[in-house]
Amino acid sequence: MQGPDDDLALLIQAAERAGEIAGQFFQRDPQIWDKGSEGPVTEADLAIDTMLRETLLGARPDYGWLSEETEDDAARLSTDTVFICDPIDGTRAFIEGGRSFAHSLSVVHRGQVTAGVVFLPMRDKLYAAAKGQGTTLNGQPVRVTGAKDPAQSIFLTTKANLKPEHWPNGIPAVERAYRPSLAYRMSLVGEGRFDGMMTFRPTWEWDIAAGALIIEEAGGRATTSRGAPLVFNGQSAQVDGILAGAPDVHQALVAQRA
């Protein structure tokens, strides 16, 4: 295994190349296929996935591979270190010409994220984090907010996550906002633009692995929807939702769900 810094440099290089490929298809009517319940996929997703797989595994042939657009291979479960990638997070936004789609790339070692990048090429925002090295946005350090009271916090989430069945002790009085990409939502929390984010449905690892490290290295907390530690490269490639944000407000919301 390479060090987190070396892996992060590799991820940044690959993310920038992914942005170049996305730009070749963006707002140019890319071919689209329907994956049923898994949503749409475009020729841009597939082209980026191929590039990422060739570039990253070419540089680290002993790492495993998990990506939204590659058929899962159980061989990854027997590797200590694995790339977990989403070629385009926010494919629907990409198809509609929205600029808030992201490339989400990470390295996971024995279940824990050690390097992560979220790149929004059309917004020129590159979030990067390596274990123990902090989080940066376009090379400048960023931190989560100091929010303490949920009632004075803004969370990125959908209306469905604030339904009574999720909150046996009462729905929190958080202000709600929305962005189309989970990876972008998490990165905005790491940047300190919002106090937290949450989703309570089963969540694919490739949507959140990089973002979880970006939040944690920015001083925040990222856990399952019930407050349990996140562990990646699981057999199902999903976690039980996610709740993330500034430490105090995160703790308060976990307690409110108990």
Side-chain angles (χ1 to χ4, degrees):
M1 176 186 173
Q2 299 287 323
D5 288 348
D6 291 334
D7 281 342
L8 182 59
L10 176 64
L11 294 182
I12 290 172
Q13 181 184 44
E16 290 174 340
R17 177 60 184 137
E20 293 172 0
I21 295 173
Q24 296 169 8
F25 294 95
F26 185 60
Q27 295 184 343
R28 298 184 182 181
D29 297 321
Q31 190 168 357
I32 302 168
W33 297 271
D34 186 0
K35 297 189 294 182
S37 62
E38 296 179 20
V41 62
T42 73
E43 56 183 324
D45 295 82
L46 301 180
I48 293 169
D49 186 67
T50 297
M51 180 280 295
L52 291 174
R53 194 167 62 249
E54 293 175 350
T55 299
L56 297 177
L57 291 180
R60 306 282 192 270
D62 55 331
Y63 286 15
W65 181 257
L66 175 63
S67 167
E68 180 175 13
E69 307 305 346
T70 302
E71 185 176 356
D72 196 10
D73 185 346
R76 67 178 171 80
L77 299 172
S78 61
T79 60
D80 279 345
T81 309
V82 59
F83 291 109
I84 299 182
C85 300
D86 191 346
I88 297 180
D89 185 39
T91 295
R92 286 186 176 87
F94 177 83
I95 292 169
E96 293 166 1
R99 298 188 301 140
S100 294
F101 67 89
H103 311 298
S104 180
L105 319 180
S106 64
V107 172
V108 168
H109 180 64
R110 295 181 179 175
Q112 301 303 304
V113 189
T114 55
V117 170
V118 173
F119 181 39
L120 287 87
M122 299 306 157
R123 293 190 177 277
D124 192 28
K125 302 183 80 167
L126 193 150
Y127 301 87
K131 194 72 172 177
Q133 303 296 318
T135 294
T136 61
L137 167 58
N138 294 343
Q140 298 302 310
V142 291
R143 298 286 294 177
V144 298
T145 72
K148 299 182 181 301
D149 182 356
Q152 298 178 359
S153 300
I154 305 175
F155 265 63
L156 289 161
T157 190
T158 63
K159 291 180 180 178
N161 296 314
L162 294 174
K163 290 183 176 180
E165 58 261 35
H166 297 302
W167 302 95
N169 297 312
I171 300 170
V174 297
E175 184 177 340
R176 187 180 67 83
Y178 181 75
R179 296 294 185 276
S181 158
L182 272 176
Y184 187 30
R185 289 178 225 171
M186 298 184 78
S187 298
L188 285 167
V189 174
E191 183 186 349
R193 290 271 303 280
F194 295 89
D195 302 306
M197 60 80 61
M198 54 186 159
T199 181
F200 298 148
R201 59 175 175 76
T203 305
W204 294 108
E205 292 185 7
W206 48 72
D207 288 331
I208 62 169
L213 185 66
I214 285 167
I215 288 174
E216 290 174 348
E217 286 296 317
R221 294 275 290 133
T223 64
T224 72
S225 61
R226 295 289 181 182
L230 291 168
V231 179
F232 293 96
N233 197 30
Q235 187 167 359
S236 71
Q238 288 186 310
V239 300
D240 180 27
I242 187 161
L243 178 56
D248 289 345
V249 74
H250 172 274
Q251 183 178 7
L253 290 181
V254 168
Q256 197 160 345
R257 291 205 77 211

